[in-house]
Amino acid sequence: MPTATPEFDAIVIGAGFSGIHMLKSLRDHLGLKVRVYEAGDTVGGTWYWNRYPGARCDSDAYIYCFTWDKQLLQEWEWTERYPEQPEILRYLEHVAARHDLKRDMVFKTRITGAEWDDKSHLWTVHTDKGDAVTARYVIAAVGTLSETNLPNIKGLENFKGQSCHTSRFPKEGIDFTGKRVAVVGTGATAVQAIPEIAQQAKQLTIFQRTANYCVPARNGKVDPELVRKRKADYDGIVQRIKDSFFGQEHYFIPKSALEVSAEERERDFDRMWDAGGFAFWLANYKDMFFTQEANDLCADYIKRKIRSTVKDPAIAEKLTPKGYAYGTKRQPLDTNYYETFNKENVLLVDAKADGPIEEITATGIRAGGKEYPQDIIVFATGFDAMTGPLKALHLKGRDGRTLDQVWAEGPRSYLGIAVAGFPNFFTITGPQSPSVLSNMPVSIEQHVDWISDCIDAMRKSEKTTIEAMPEAQDQWVAHVNEIVAATLMPGANSWYMSANIPGKPRAFLPYLGPEGVGGYRRKCEEVAAHNYEGFELA
Ligand code: NA7
């Protein structure tokens, strides 16, 4: 048995929701020596980096938080249904201070590589400050949407005005007042930012590649009586979201959209639309994700809403999604998004109707042969989702193999927690786990608890390595792909399908069901109960 003593029991990479909880769990519950490395200059992760106007969570705040600190669930008061980025960051800072976590965190430090040593059963982890530390375990808490996608558009470097990506928005903000501003992209981020920027800018031009199906967020103050009721029922809420499909208190209508009358369907659609948030997406008819005809009915409802909100029929037509099923791209939640296109100072340039972006020039953007002069360009162009942040760690597993190599044809993981050939390496909300198809904190907590229990069990049985077995991984990958193949998801050019990044192998990145996060949790628990079935422990 290897005798080398590592400097740390575990290195955790990232200090967002995942890294904060992982440190708390390993250090304070298991008594391990842990260090967290974080590229930002404080905690927060997603909520540190995404400072664009309008940035807020899309899940209701009462479940978009840690549930392991029961006292804090009672004490913390969110100001609105979906708090803005500064408030969520304040919450995470509060948690870090309350549990004295920062003393084991190193900020402004990026991991540049790590290699596994099969003799000592240790990882050596390298940072951009030139340090190298050894650890028994490496845990990626790097987030799923953290590797920025700045598209390689011709002439990008020539622009003389100010430009930025939404996930690298300057801390001091940008004053859009009186400026000609372009937003590139119309995903969930842009849908939050566009109405805010339109209020300041002299002229806002939106460059749309694919029209999205947006539903109203219906943000606002939450009724104090409802807040009180929820606080009194937190144990019940936590149990329900853990057992649910999406980590939310949303449940499919247990009927086909095709079996009910048109009147009943319209009433249900109105109810979900009026409720706002993810209800329309995640609490719709049970066949919405599976049957094109059922999906068409949901899509048609939203298309009618777009036409009734946007005054100019030509603009409404450009904003109407075409060619893919409703719900197969990430659902953006809107607050005055469609209304914004009624404003005099807002222009929509649609890649299909007006021509795609051809070049960034010194003074603006050229699309469809026409020049659109700009002072500021905001790229809301998304992320190299899920696999991107993990590949960027430049890990070398067994035999020096990298994730780039083993994922050359798409992600391969066991349960979305581990990768064959990378012993003692865990991925919180990794590819092929529910992660981005769930309310993130719920899935984060499940993985953190599972990883902690696993490390605890290994210590108790004096094992020093755990590694996913290739056969178990093959079966999991096949299972993930088989499940999604029965849905409408593969038909969309979404980032779920890896389709947003040129050259990225087309593969479904998360895991969808069949019983959602509840069923997935039970599967992970079974694996642990059967002595970590599918893993090799040595
Ligand atoms: P998304 O959802 O990936 O949206 C990015 C948008 O940028 C989307 O409209 C893209 O069009 C567009 N895009 C990407 N590359 C280009 C190029 N090269 N040219 C023109 N337009 C482009 O990212 P978000 O940040 O909005 O949301 C990410 C997640 O953050 C979100 O799902 C939440 O979980 C929080 P496309 O649709 O690909 O044609």
Side-chain angles (χ1 to χ4, degrees):
M1 186 175 144
T3 51
T5 307
E7 287 158 83
F8 294 96
D9 294 307
I11 294 293
V12 176
I13 310 170
F17 265 93
S18 305
I20 287 174
H21 186 197
M22 196 75 243
L23 171 59
K24 171 72 188 168
S25 189
L26 293 180
R27 189 193 71 181
D28 293 355
H29 300 155
L30 299 192
L32 302 193
K33 192 171 177 207
V34 184
R35 175 175 281 177
V36 177
Y37 284 105
E38 165 59 53
D41 56 18
T42 185
V43 295
T46 286
W47 302 103
Y48 170 84
W49 295 104
N50 287 270
R51 296 165 183 265
Y52 60 86
R56 57 178 76 251
C57 60
D58 280 340
S59 293
D60 288 61
Y62 79 99
I63 49 167
Y64 195 84
C65 54
F66 291 119
T67 67
W68 49 267
D69 187 334
K70 290 195 173 189
Q71 199 186 341
L72 189 59
L73 282 178
Q74 295 302 322
E75 287 172 12
W76 190 266
E77 300 287 345
W78 295 106
T79 62
E80 48 188 352
R81 183 173 175 185
Y82 315 99
E84 274 194 288
Q85 173 268 334
E87 188 172 342
I88 303 175
L89 188 56
R90 225 167 25 246
Y91 167 79
L92 293 171
E93 287 279 10
H94 178 76
V95 173
R98 180 180 167 94
H99 296 276
D100 192 18
L101 297 175
K102 283 195 178 178
R103 69 181 151 95
D104 293 306
M105 293 176 165
V106 178
F107 296 107
K108 297 183 195 167
T109 305
R110 198 170 274 284
I111 298 306
T112 52
E115 63 271 342
W116 171 253
D117 177 15
D118 219 12
K119 294 199 183 68
S120 60
H121 290 183
L122 299 179
W123 283 95
T124 302
V125 179
H126 304 271
T127 78
D128 61 357
K129 299 288 184 308
D131 303 327
V133 292
T134 54
R136 180 74 66 209
Y137 301 100
V138 170
I139 301 165
V142 290
T144 49
L145 296 157
S146 49
E147 187 70 8
T148 293
N149 170 39
L150 189 60
N152 189 16
I153 301 173
K154 187 179 162 200
L156 198 59
E157 63 292 348
N158 296 337
F159 185 59
K160 295 274 184 284
Q162 187 177 4
S163 71
C164 75
H165 188 278
T166 44
S167 74
R168 293 293 178 270
F169 212 76
K171 272 190 190 159
E172 64 282 8
I174 298 179
D175 185 4
F176 295 106
T177 316
K179 297 285 198 302
R180 295 165 302 176
V181 183
V183 171
V184 180
T186 52
T189 296
V191 169
Q192 290 186 336
I194 283 166
E196 299 288 325
I197 299 174
Q199 289 183 43
Q200 292 178 32
K202 181 169 81 183
Q203 170 74 38
L204 174 62
T205 309
I206 293 129
F207 291 85
Q208 169 181 275
R209 189 165 71 178
T210 309
N212 240 315
Y213 295 92
C214 305
V215 303
R218 305 216 187 280
N219 191 26
K221 297 260 173 266
V222 180
D223 176 5
E225 183 51 24
L226 180 57
V227 173
R228 195 196 57 72
K229 272 195 190 143
R230 282 175 174 162
K231 286 194 190 249
D233 182 33
Y234 249 126
D235 286 347
I237 289 170
V238 171
Q239 198 51 51
R240 288 197 293 280
I241 57 179
K242 281 182 171 180
D243 291 341
S244 70
F245 203 101
F246 293 112
Q248 311 250 355
E249 291 197 277
H250 286 310
Y251 308 94
F252 295 119
I253 300 171
K255 289 180 190 174
S256 161
L258 303 167
E259 77 185 50
V260 298
S261 69
E263 293 73 28
E264 179 177 341
R265 210 166 38 232
E266 199 71 2
R267 272 198 306 279
D268 276 331
F269 286 158
D270 283 345
R271 176 180 49 74
M272 292 180 275
W273 188 264
D274 292 344
F278 286 146
F280 203 91
W281 191 35
L282 307 180
N284 213 310
Y285 289 98
K286 66 172 187 184
D287 52 350
M288 187 201 85
F289 282 109
F290 297 92
T291 310
Q292 189 63 55
E293 295 74 27
N295 190 285
D296 286 345
L297 293 166
C298 306
D300 174 66
Y301 181 88
I302 300 182
K303 290 176 184 177
R304 281 186 277 135
K305 289 288 184 190
I306 296 171
R307 286 184 206 115
S308 66
T309 311
V310 180
K311 290 186 184 136
D312 181 333
I315 300 174
E317 185 55 28
K318 288 185 200 175
L319 286 168
T320 301
K322 295 170 191 78
Y324 68 98
Y326 167 63
T328 55
K329 287 172 82 110
R330 164 57 152 76
Q331 173 70 72
L333 295 190
D334 97 75
T335 302
N336 298 326
Y337 178 68
Y338 290 121
E339 289 82 350
T340 298
F341 292 90
N342 294 331
K343 291 173 83 110
E344 290 289 318
N345 66 333
V346 173
L347 177 69
L348 177 64
V349 178
D350 175 58
K352 290 182 192 73
D354 306 301
I357 296 177
E358 292 151 354
E359 188 174 357
I360 312 279
T361 65
T363 53
I365 299 181
R366 203 179 64 233
K370 193 171 167 204
E371 176 94 20
Y372 298 87
Q374 308 295 339
D375 301 309
I376 303 170
I377 303 177
V378 176
F379 291 96
T381 43
F383 302 90
D384 182 354
M386 301 198 76
T387 49
L390 294 168
K391 285 183 180 179
L393 297 175
H394 303 294
L395 304 183
K396 286 187 178 156
R398 211 178 272 292
D399 305 322
R401 302 262 290 162
T402 65
L403 287 175
D404 265 328
Q405 289 169 330
V406 300
W407 288 351
E409 286 162 32
R412 303 188 69 74
S413 84
Y414 181 39
L415 301 170
I417 295 180
V419 184
F422 292 77
N424 293 8
F425 171 61
F426 296 106
T427 54
I428 302 177
T429 64
Q432 300 174 329
S433 74
S435 62
V436 291
L437 288 177
S438 70
N439 176 29
M440 288 303 291
V442 175
S443 287
I444 288 169
E445 288 196 21
Q446 186 241 330
H447 271 186
V448 168
D449 291 345
W450 192 93
I451 293 165
S452 278
D453 290 348
C454 173
I455 292 177
D456 193 30
M458 286 183 62
R459 287 165 65 85
K460 285 179 177 146
S461 58
E462 298 189 350
K463 307 282 191 208
T464 53
T465 64
I466 179 165
E467 184 180 352
M469 292 202 279
E471 313 75 55
Q473 178 168 285
D474 289 347
Q475 280 173 19
W476 185 253
V477 174
H479 170 66
V480 169
N481 292 332
E482 187 188 331
I483 299 282
V484 79
T487 74
L488 299 170
M489 302 295 276
N493 288 327
S494 62
W495 58 257
Y496 294 141
M497 288 302 303
S498 315
N500 63 326
I501 304 291
K504 191 168 175 175
R506 193 174 179 101
F508 187 61
L509 294 170
Y511 171 57
L512 179 61
E515 293 162 50
V517 302
Y520 170 78
R521 174 186 302 272
R522 288 189 287 280
K523 167 72 185 169
C524 292
E525 284 168 1
E526 264 167 41
V527 164
H530 291 103
N531 202 18
Y532 294 93
E533 194 174 21
F535 288 95
E536 190 170 356
L537 280 76

